[in-house]
Amino acid sequence: MRFLILSDIHANWEALTAVLEDAASRHYQAVLCLGDVVGYGPNPNEVAAWVRTHADVVIRGNHDKACSGSTAFDSFNMAAQCSSRWTREELLDDHRQWLRNLDRGPVLVENFDLVHGAPDDEDRYMFHEHEAEAGLRSASEQLTFFGHTHVQGGFVGELYRRSLEVSRLHALPDQMAIVVDRRYLLNPGAVGQPRDGNSRAAYCIYDSAMRIVEFCRVEYDIRTVQDKILAAGLPEELAFRLASGD
Ligand SMILES: [Fe+2]
């Protein structure tokens, strides 16, 4: 089966539609979503409606919880608090209810897991090797897809006797084979708010029969999203960071 894996769409309709157009030729059969459907971006209802209709599996992200009112957002920075408050008011009741009821990761698909943050804690970030090591040790499956950091790539773990050598993927190949004696935490990157120095929308395709992951990037109409963010009265920094990709 070929899966389209999306994470951190963050209510960015232009990024989502560019990804779907780019991915169409890659012949996927199912869509998986790793959370943070909403928050930050100006189109929460449109994006929520698309994900509800088209994604086969969706897990919740911290912004989905905050924007649907199932958790507080006082631990967020000011821009995130402001966007959460705006999104709560903007969301249709039906979408808010759907977001509140999303599953918490890990969720098993075939023989791999989906999490938002980390296998041991849905809200924990894994930016560095030491943060990934705990995740690799607690992961139930050889392969776990995660989001939350908005950084495309992830980590590979190799067991040497009893020690686990964890390395971060730096130069991402277009295609990467999943090798039997290694463990993987892989991040498709953020569709709607990349933070890895590359402003293009990120996603991945996983072919579970071939055991190959394809990391993909695509340009989208950032200017239109920035205009919508500013017109909605959302913080300017949420518009500017889309162009810098960090
Ligand atoms: Fe996010």
Side-chain angles (χ1 to χ4, degrees):
M1 173 94 84
R2 284 175 66 81
F3 296 93
L4 169 62
I5 307 183
L6 308 175
S7 191
D8 298 278
I9 305 170
H10 279 297
N12 186 332
W13 178 251
E14 281 69 22
L16 174 62
T17 51
V19 160
L20 296 173
E21 196 176 322
D22 191 66
S25 60
R26 298 179 191 272
H27 308 296
Y28 60 87
Q29 288 108 24
V31 179
L32 309 176
C33 179
L34 308 182
D36 279 3
V37 174
V38 299
Y40 295 135
N43 287 111
N45 288 311
E46 292 79 358
V47 170
W50 186 90
V51 174
R52 287 181 71 172
T53 310
H54 295 94
D56 297 275
V57 181
V58 188
I59 57 171
R60 68 188 189 181
N62 52 323
H63 283 260
D64 302 321
K65 291 188 287 184
C67 294
S68 63
S70 69
T71 58
F73 49 69
D74 22 343
S75 63
F76 283 4
N77 64 38
M78 288 312 291
Q81 286 195 26
C82 183
S83 82
S84 298
R85 196 173 295 111
W86 180 87
T87 305
R88 276 187 186 183
E89 286 172 14
E90 197 73 12
L91 273 172
L92 299 173
D93 283 345
D94 201 31
H95 294 325
R96 188 182 298 113
Q97 206 53 41
W98 171 75
L99 287 163
R100 284 180 85 107
N101 292 326
L102 287 177
D103 287 334
R104 168 200 202 117
V107 166
L108 183 69
V109 177
E110 293 189 353
N111 59 352
F112 58 95
D113 269 333
L114 310 180
V115 302
H116 183 65
D120 50 304
D121 179 348
E122 64 176 341
D123 294 329
R124 186 167 75 79
Y125 287 96
M126 296 190 293
F127 283 108
H128 305 290
E129 284 87 344
H130 69 275
E131 293 159 338
E133 183 175 345
L136 282 166
R137 288 192 185 280
S138 59
S140 312
E141 301 299 321
Q142 183 203 6
L143 171 61
T144 300
F145 287 97
F146 73 102
H148 200 31
T149 61
H150 300 206
V151 175
Q152 190 176 51
F155 303 89
V156 182
E158 267 186 279
L159 266 177
Y160 289 107
R161 299 207 171 95
R162 283 194 181 169
S163 72
L164 183 66
E165 294 273 318
V166 181
S167 45
R168 186 175 159 195
L169 296 168
H170 285 288
L172 289 183
D174 290 342
Q175 295 200 337
M176 192 179 84
I178 301 301
V179 177
V180 171
D181 54 358
R182 294 181 187 168
R183 296 174 73 79
Y184 297 84
L185 297 171
L186 299 183
N187 191 328
V191 172
Q193 195 198 74
R195 295 179 194 161
D196 47 11
N198 179 343
S199 61
R200 292 180 298 162
Y203 68 98
C204 80
I205 299 281
Y206 176 51
D207 188 320
S208 60
M210 303 293 288
R211 307 224 74 197
I212 287 177
V213 180
E214 297 171 34
F215 291 104
C216 311
R217 301 302 283 243
V218 61
E219 306 266 0
Y220 72 96
D221 183 358
I222 291 175
R223 183 63 193 268
T224 293
V225 187
Q226 290 177 319
D227 289 346
K228 287 186 189 176
I229 286 173
L230 298 176
L234 287 161
E236 286 182 349
E237 64 187 90
L238 297 179
F240 298 149
R241 76 184 307 177
L242 294 179
S244 58
D246 56 22

